[in-house]
Amino acid sequence: MNETQKQNAQQDLQASFSMLIMSIASNSMMAMGFTPDPQTGKTEVDKQLAKFNIELLLTLKTKTKSNLTADEQGLLDHIIQDLQMKFIQLK
């Protein structure tokens, strides 16, 4: 990646509640072995870490109740439900 591409990628990344949700969800997906670790390229299952990340999202849902836009609430609800279903399938 050249310097211009790095700068464009950094400009595209904006801190937002949706980005935070997606980051935690991505970590959960990695911990469940659905996506490889971008640094190592390896796929490993760590149920405890996956559960922790799902619980983080549930905590965010509780703590942000009535403070989210409809889109943010919908995204959070959908991601939590999807991750919980995937987690159950691991057992």
Side-chain angles (χ1 to χ4, degrees):
M1 185 179 273
N2 67 34
E3 194 60 35
T4 302
Q5 289 172 321
K6 287 180 185 178
Q7 289 175 348
N8 288 339
Q10 288 174 346
Q11 289 173 354
D12 290 341
L13 292 176
Q14 294 181 8
S16 67
F17 188 76
S18 297
M19 257 322 219
L20 175 62
I21 294 168
M22 296 302 292
S23 177
I24 296 169
S26 177
N27 286 334
S28 186
M29 291 291 286
M30 257 190 303
M32 287 189 277
F34 289 108
T35 57
D37 183 320
Q39 293 179 344
T40 65
K42 294 180 182 179
T43 302
E44 298 177 20
V45 176
D46 184 341
K47 289 183 183 179
Q48 192 172 13
L49 182 58
K51 183 178 179 184
F52 172 77
N53 282 301
I54 293 169
E55 288 173 353
L56 273 179
L57 292 171
L58 289 166
T59 301
L60 280 173
K61 180 179 178 176
T62 301
K63 295 292 185 179
T64 59
K65 187 175 184 176
S66 303
N67 290 316
L68 300 177
T69 66
D71 287 343
E72 289 170 335
Q73 188 66 55
L75 176 65
L76 183 56
D77 289 341
H78 175 76
I79 287 176
I80 289 171
Q81 182 180 17
D82 185 53
L83 292 172
Q84 287 175 326
M85 294 301 295
K86 285 177 171 37
F87 185 81
I88 289 169
Q89 292 173 356
L90 288 178
K91 294 184 176 189

